[in-house]
Amino acid sequence: MSDATSWDPSKPILEIENLSISFFTRAREIPAVMDFSCKVMAGESMGLVGESGCGKSTVALAVMRELGKNGKIVAGSIKFKGIDLTNMGDEGLRKIRGSQIAMIYQEPMASLNPAMKIGAQLAEVPMIHQGMGKDDAWALARQIVSDVRLPDPDRIVNAYPHQLSGGQQQRIVIAMALMSKPALLILDEPTTALDVTVEAGIVDLVKDLGEKYGTSMLFISHNLGLIMDVCDRLCVMYSGEAVETGSVTEVFNEMRHPYTQALFRSIPLPGADKNLRPLIAIPGNFPLPHERPKGCNFGPRCDYFQDGRCNAAEVAMSDVPDSDRHGSRCVKWTEIDWAAAPAARAAKQKAEIGKVVLKMEDLRKYYAVSSGAFGGGAKKVVKANESLSFEAREGETLAIVGESGCGKSTFAKVLMGLETATSGSIMLFDENVQSTPIQKRNIDTVSSVQMVFQNPFDTLNPSMNVGRQIIRALEIFKYGASDEERAARMLVLLDLVKLPRAFAERMPRQLSGGQKQRVGIARAFAGGAKVVVADEPVSALDVSVQAAVTDLLMDIQRENKTTLLFISHDLSIVRYLADRVMVMYLGHVVEMGSTDQVFQPPYHPYTEALLSAVPIADTKVIRKRIVLEGDIPSAMNPPPGCPFQTRCRWKSQVPGGLCETQMPPVQVLEGGHQVKCHLSSEVLATMEPVIKMAAE
């Protein structure tokens, strides 16, 4: 075995060649990754992208040699600094893991010990790996906490994990990974659970630290915009194989694999329009590992498939000439006209916007909580929603956006009757339901307002088949006079969400995430819902499935004239779907207007920061970067004056310290555009677009 200290920095720091990984169950061998190759050079960031189940995380765990008892590398090699890790013993791996190669996981709380102070957890790393003394290790821990831009490092090192926000916890996990200055950092979806504003800060931090420490990175994500922000190169995976690899610029601008092209067509880039240019979902489903087709894995879903050629034999990776290590696993890539526009899709009829069906006026929701650990102490009030006023019309999509803790989900619970409002009114079809909990609402009211939840896995009963779950909803809503009528209606609902009728007999475990979400939507419409609250309905789904589910919601809306309240932090999807947008911050509506108004200046300063933080997978788009410092304040102890003043970059433009002392008025700008801000109309008029095309 060669020594890592003799490694030549001009050679790859990580070289994976023809790697194949299988998981062994009692029934069969399941091939998870086949013939995978990639190289990461010193100081380089490599992105791994693809749908859930394509093998991204399996590759990362193979590099760490943490595949568990069932996982096994069956072919190929993984070389780190020239040393083959595939046959290395446990002692050799222990020396490299954590000190030379570190990994950051998706869920920060899973990586932190809840019973240990942050400083002690960080100090453990150099004490174990480098034999450093306790005092020096604590001093280094404090320094790294400062490096990852956390406020008040002395307080943080003496805090416990539960005393930090999600974004702060993720920064601590990054700090822990960097404690021994590893040469290779593997990041597995490190920002999935975080707000877009926190994500922007983490992304900038990762890039800066990579440059500061000279760290090479393997960055795993399904978000192509994030990959563009962080990485130099990327590798697109599909069903266990690398299908395209190259520099980020080349793959984004000159893609040479049908799957890469299909991925880009299914994400809402600037210019996508739900009526004129709908997203193009990838047809069919991702193949299960033991059901992969012969030849090209992507063949059954590919627009360019040719029988007898694409499925004749295994397809090898071929080099794209005159490129920077650009390769494609496609037999037809030289024959495809990559510049051709997608086949024209029929423009959809714009949904008719009708009368007002929902009106909230001056709605407030306060929670009383005790300040003591065990229920004692003085009572404090959490102001979750403050003076919320808006209306929604028949056939309209109103998007509600904002960071975690802004009050989006509280407002949804109040509307559904799961909570009752403290004051104000909720007029639903001329009935005030503000103080009526769900158990006291009549069946018609309950069935007319339904919810589609974020996680389709948690909302279905695992022991009941799909048909029975939909029929159960029909029984609750008292639909039909007989079981036969309800069974017939259930089949119609499956048609509505574009699922085969045979799925009525399937159990939830036999469905993919997108199919489960469709069942959730069918159930929501079982009672003929007129208002549907969709709480992050596509954030748990792959981008290709997102396109299909969002288009499905739009089709149902056109057919049923549904009012859709779409709660989301993904502003790309909001721009594509919404007719109007409501921006919330710390319980307040800070901006409201049509989608065009909210996405063009003048903005509320918070909306401006939100838009600047959205990763966009388009090399032709120029974004102004405005990274918000600090976290959203506590609703138990909100700042005086404007709720956003502690993080606002425009505050100096307001004279007399108004922002710190007075709640701003709601200004009504041109076209009914509302902004809750002290900035004068003259200052608002000077705002520049955050997102613009490079040619402009």
Side-chain angles (χ1 to χ4, degrees):
M1 183 178 82
S2 62
D3 184 9
T5 54
S6 62
W7 167 69
D8 176 359
S10 66
K11 299 273 174 64
I13 194 164
L14 178 70
E15 188 169 16
I16 302 175
E17 288 188 311
N18 309 114
L19 181 70
S20 293
I21 302 164
S22 289
F23 289 91
F24 292 85
T25 66
R26 287 177 185 170
R28 60 168 76 88
E29 174 187 350
I30 298 171
V33 173
M34 296 92 65
D35 189 32
F36 177 85
S37 300
C38 87
K39 289 179 187 173
V40 182
M41 304 303 287
E44 198 171 64
S45 297
M46 167 71 84
L48 277 186
V49 296
E51 294 170 278
S52 303
C54 71
K56 306 185 298 290
S57 295
T58 305
V59 168
L61 291 170
V63 174
M64 296 295 285
R65 288 284 308 279
E66 288 183 349
L67 289 168
K69 288 182 180 176
N70 294 350
K72 190 178 176 188
I73 295 169
V74 292
S77 65
I78 303 169
K79 288 180 182 167
F80 171 71
K81 289 188 173 181
I83 302 170
D84 193 343
L85 303 179
T86 44
N87 302 311
M88 187 178 278
D90 288 347
E91 193 168 335
L93 285 168
R94 264 197 300 273
K95 285 180 181 170
I96 285 180
R97 272 198 296 235
S99 60
Q100 299 242 20
I101 306 176
M103 186 160 174
I104 296 167
Y105 295 91
Q106 186 169 343
E107 184 46 68
M109 265 313 269
S111 307
L112 296 172
N113 184 334
M116 275 176 82
K117 286 184 177 178
I118 295 296
Q121 298 192 52
L122 291 170
E124 258 190 348
V125 180
M127 287 163 71
I128 291 169
H129 288 293
Q130 294 156 28
M132 193 180 280
K134 185 178 178 183
D135 290 348
D136 289 342
W138 270 79
L140 180 61
R142 191 197 175 286
Q143 171 59 42
I144 298 259
V145 166
S146 174
D147 277 357
V148 297
R149 301 184 199 149
L150 281 168
D152 194 358
D154 292 319
R155 180 185 71 82
I156 297 278
V157 292
N158 286 297
Y160 288 95
H162 72 270
Q163 294 171 306
L164 307 183
S165 69
Q168 289 174 332
Q169 287 171 4
Q170 192 60 289
R171 283 169 191 257
I172 291 299
V173 171
I174 291 170
M176 195 181 289
L178 292 167
M179 281 297 285
S180 51
K181 300 184 174 58
L184 178 67
L185 187 58
I186 301 171
L187 302 100
D188 189 359
E189 302 269 15
T191 61
T192 301
L194 304 178
D195 281 312
V196 68
T197 47
V198 180
E199 179 180 81
I202 297 278
V203 164
D204 281 2
L205 171 70
V206 165
K207 282 164 65 181
D208 291 350
L209 293 172
E211 287 168 19
K212 180 175 179 178
Y213 294 114
T215 311
S216 304
M217 281 188 269
L218 194 61
F219 191 96
I220 297 168
S221 181
H222 65 266
N223 186 327
L224 287 158
L226 263 189
I227 292 288
M228 195 180 102
D229 280 354
V230 177
C231 300
D232 311 306
R233 300 182 61 74
L234 87 156
C235 176
V236 182
M237 291 188 72
Y238 181 80
S239 190
E241 293 180 326
V243 294
E244 183 164 11
T245 184
S247 73
V248 165
T249 313
E250 266 186 343
V251 175
F252 274 50
N253 294 342
E254 296 172 33
M255 56 197 73
R256 291 295 178 265
H257 195 280
Y259 176 59
T260 314
Q261 185 184 59
L263 269 186
F264 273 90
R265 286 177 175 176
S266 65
I267 57 177
L269 296 172
D273 183 295
K274 65 181 179 183
N275 298 311
L276 300 176
R277 284 189 297 282
L279 298 179
I280 302 171
I282 303 175
N285 288 314
F286 196 79
L288 294 169
H290 56 282
E291 294 175 355
R292 289 188 177 110
K294 195 177 173 195
C296 174
N297 282 342
F298 187 59
R301 305 174 75 189
C302 180
D303 290 342
Y304 309 105
F305 178 75
Q306 188 179 341
D307 192 21
R309 189 174 165 202
C310 295
N311 54 1
E314 294 300 314
V315 183
M317 195 71 117
S318 54
D319 293 332
V320 177
D322 305 319
S323 67
D324 178 15
R325 294 175 281 154
H326 189 179
S328 170
R329 193 185 291 270
C330 175
V331 294
K332 296 184 69 179
W333 74 264
T334 54
E335 304 157 34
I336 294 168
D337 180 0
W338 297 102
R345 296 193 74 194
K348 306 247 177 128
Q349 189 70 35
K350 192 177 187 303
E352 291 280 320
I353 308 286
K355 62 182 189 300
V356 173
V357 294
L358 172 68
K359 188 171 185 176
M360 283 196 182
E361 282 194 66
D362 204 23
L363 186 89
R364 287 177 165 82
K365 175 60 184 173
Y366 297 168
Y367 295 95
V369 293
S370 58
S371 55
F374 299 102
K379 291 281 183 189
K380 290 192 173 183
V381 172
V382 176
K383 297 180 176 182
N385 287 151
E386 274 279 18
S387 59
L388 218 61
S389 297
F390 73 92
E391 54 187 38
R393 296 174 177 275
E394 183 181 76
E396 179 180 50
T397 303
L398 173 66
I400 298 125
V401 299
E403 292 169 285
S404 304
C406 74
K408 305 187 299 286
S409 294
T410 300
F411 136 77
K413 286 175 188 169
V414 170
L415 175 60
M416 298 298 297
L418 301 173
E419 304 269 6
T420 53
T422 307
S423 66
S425 70
I426 306 173
M427 297 301 293
L428 186 66
F429 306 108
D430 306 322
E431 179 189 358
N432 189 352
V433 295
Q434 169 259 331
S435 55
T436 315
I438 193 161
Q439 56 270 38
K440 292 188 179 173
R441 292 184 180 182
N442 62 48
I443 292 290
D444 287 346
T445 305
V446 173
S447 64
S448 65
V449 184
Q450 284 295 301
M451 198 156 181
V452 178
F453 294 92
Q454 179 171 355
N455 197 334
F457 313 96
D458 295 342
T459 57
L460 298 179
N461 184 333
S463 59
M464 203 183 272
N465 71 27
V466 165
R468 182 72 200 120
Q469 306 214 27
I470 297 171
I471 288 170
R472 181 83 190 98
L474 291 166
E475 288 170 353
I476 290 167
F477 296 141
K478 297 188 165 40
Y479 177 91
S482 65
D483 290 345
E484 289 75 19
E485 271 187 57
R486 284 186 281 273
R489 174 67 182 159
M490 176 268 293
L491 294 174
V492 170
L493 286 164
L494 285 179
D495 295 342
L496 181 73
V497 295
K498 299 182 172 67
L499 281 177
R501 290 187 167 197
F503 273 43
E505 302 301 320
R506 289 202 181 182
M507 303 300 282
R509 67 175 183 274
Q510 295 172 290
L511 308 183
S512 69
Q515 289 165 343
K516 285 178 184 168
Q517 193 60 292
R518 284 165 189 260
V519 176
I521 293 168
R523 220 170 36 176
F525 281 92
K530 291 298 177 196
V531 178
V532 171
V533 181
D535 189 358
E536 302 269 15
V538 294
S539 63
L541 307 176
D542 283 311
V543 286
S544 55
V545 183
Q546 278 185 10
V549 172
T550 49
D551 268 5
L552 169 70
L553 281 169
M554 293 297 98
D555 287 345
I556 294 173
Q557 181 182 55
R558 289 181 190 101
E559 197 172 312
N560 293 5
K561 296 184 177 175
T562 318
T563 303
L564 188 64
L565 301 181
F566 192 85
I567 298 173
S568 182
H569 67 265
D570 185 340
L571 287 156
S572 301
I573 285 198
V574 164
R575 186 176 200 167
Y576 171 70
L577 277 186
D579 301 304
R580 284 193 304 134
V581 180
M582 181 166 100
V583 183
M584 290 185 69
Y585 186 83
L586 205 59
H588 295 262
V589 176
V590 294
E591 183 164 7
M592 184 151 55
S594 71
T595 307
D596 287 343
Q597 287 169 343
V598 171
F599 278 79
Q600 295 296 328
Y603 313 106
H604 185 280
Y606 177 56
T607 310
E608 180 190 47
L610 273 185
L611 291 173
S612 83
V614 179
I616 299 171
D618 191 336
T619 55
K620 297 185 287 298
V621 168
I622 298 171
R623 269 187 309 152
K624 184 189 289 185
R625 284 295 258 181
I626 304 161
V627 176
L628 288 178
E629 298 298 327
D631 291 313
I632 197 164
S634 165
M636 199 186 296
N637 188 23
C642 172
F644 187 59
Q645 53 104 346
T646 55
R647 303 166 80 192
C648 181
R649 75 187 192 105
W650 288 86
K651 192 163 67 168
S652 60
Q653 302 279 336
V654 178
L658 272 178
C659 296
E660 285 106 334
T661 55
Q662 289 185 29
M663 181 64 70
V666 176
Q667 299 185 48
V668 180
L669 309 176
E670 192 179 340
H673 182 191
Q674 296 177 24
V675 176
K676 192 171 192 171
C677 187
H678 283 302
L679 287 174
S680 67
S681 53
E682 291 79 24
V683 174
L684 286 170
T686 66
M687 283 191 169
E688 296 177 345
V690 171
I691 300 167
K692 56 184 179 183
M693 303 307 283
E696 285 181 17

